[in-house]
């Protein structure tokens, strides 16, 4: 009898541990970035669809901006896109697109279909600069101050709550 109860008890204990671990993990929404408080890593990347036009980190300085990492293959990017558009239209913050490991035609079609809220979109086809930023996957967003210092990183979709509670307070608007 006991030989039958032990495997069931072990299975139940493991199930409870898994459930508790998932519950704890569900409440942890912020993954710290070692880049917070540091300058945006230097880059020189082409503008999406304009390979002869190169943008560097120096070109973006002067006013704060949100660097939004997105891709046409990213389903969560579709979820956040209307909120990125609203933020860009509000004029409260510049929004710069960062197209991540995407085919040019797919990225351009995606922007035609869903709208282009970006002041400019830089393209990182190889994903090398994304490594410098510590990008896990799209979508991610980096709030950068006027001097080029990263002051916030959002992993996952930007939502109205993230904009109101995390992004705008950090830029004072």
């Amino acid at each position: 009898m006991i030989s039958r109860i032990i495997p069931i008890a072990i299975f139940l204990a493991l199930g409870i541990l898994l459930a508790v671990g998932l519950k704890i993990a569900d409440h942890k929404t912020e993954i710290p970035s070692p880049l917070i408080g540091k300058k945006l890593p230097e880059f020189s990347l082409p503008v999406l669809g304009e390979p002869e036009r190169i943008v560097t980190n120096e070109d973006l300085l002067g006013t704060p901006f949100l660097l939004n990492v997105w891709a046409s293959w990213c389903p969560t990017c579709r979820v956040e896109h209307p909120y990125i558009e609203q933020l860009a239209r509000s004029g409260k913050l510049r929004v710069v697109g960062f197209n991540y490991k995407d085919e040019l035609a797919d990225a351009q079609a995606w922007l035609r279909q869903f709208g282009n809220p970006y002041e400019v979109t830089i393209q990182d086809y190889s994903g090398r600069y994304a490594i410098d930023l510590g990008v896990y996957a799209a979508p991610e967003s980096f709030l950068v101050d006027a001097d080029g210092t990263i002051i916030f990183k959002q992993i996952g979709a930007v939502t109205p709550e993230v904009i109101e509670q995390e992004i705008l307070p950090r830029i004072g608007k």
Side-chain angles (χ1 to χ4, degrees):
M1 178 73 170
I2 291 198
S3 63
R4 290 185 180 167
I5 293 176
I6 291 175
I8 293 172
I10 290 172
F11 178 77
L12 289 174
L14 288 174
I16 291 169
L17 284 174
L18 177 63
V20 169
L22 288 174
K23 188 73 171 169
I24 290 169
D26 193 35
H27 291 295
K28 183 169 177 59
T29 58
E30 188 173 320
I31 298 173
S33 170
L35 294 179
I36 301 296
K38 295 184 178 161
K39 295 287 184 187
L40 190 65
E42 290 185 19
F43 69 87
S44 180
L45 291 168
V47 172
L48 182 71
E50 299 178 50
E52 69 287 343
R53 183 175 161 209
I54 303 298
V55 174
T56 69
N57 51 310
E58 294 292 320
D59 296 327
L60 299 176
L61 301 180
T63 57
F65 64 93
L66 185 72
L67 183 66
N68 178 241
V69 180
W70 67 276
S72 65
W73 46 261
C74 165
T76 309
C77 296
R78 289 184 184 195
V79 172
E80 82 168 354
H81 195 71
Y83 308 121
I84 296 294
E85 284 186 307
Q86 288 172 3
L87 177 61
R89 273 195 312 269
S90 76
K92 295 177 181 176
L93 183 65
R94 295 167 45 213
V95 182
V96 174
F98 181 91
N99 184 242
Y100 174 60
K101 296 178 95 172
D102 210 347
E103 295 295 331
L104 174 62
D106 295 340
Q108 290 175 320
W110 195 88
L111 288 174
R112 278 192 303 275
Q113 181 178 358
F114 298 108
N116 185 353
Y118 304 111
E119 178 180 293
V120 65
T121 298
I122 54 178
Q123 186 178 30
D124 186 19
Y125 181 77
S126 70
R128 286 192 182 121
Y129 185 66
I131 292 170
D132 293 343
L133 285 173
V135 170
Y136 294 98
E140 291 187 22
S141 294
F142 297 84
L143 182 60
V144 182
D145 72 11
D147 296 325
T149 301
I150 298 171
I151 55 177
F152 175 73
K153 179 180 181 181
Q154 171 68 25
I155 296 174
V158 169
T159 63
E161 295 78 22
V162 170
I163 292 169
E164 293 299 322
Q165 296 171 13
E166 300 291 347
I167 293 173
L168 294 180
R170 285 181 164 87
I171 61 168
K173 292 186 179 183

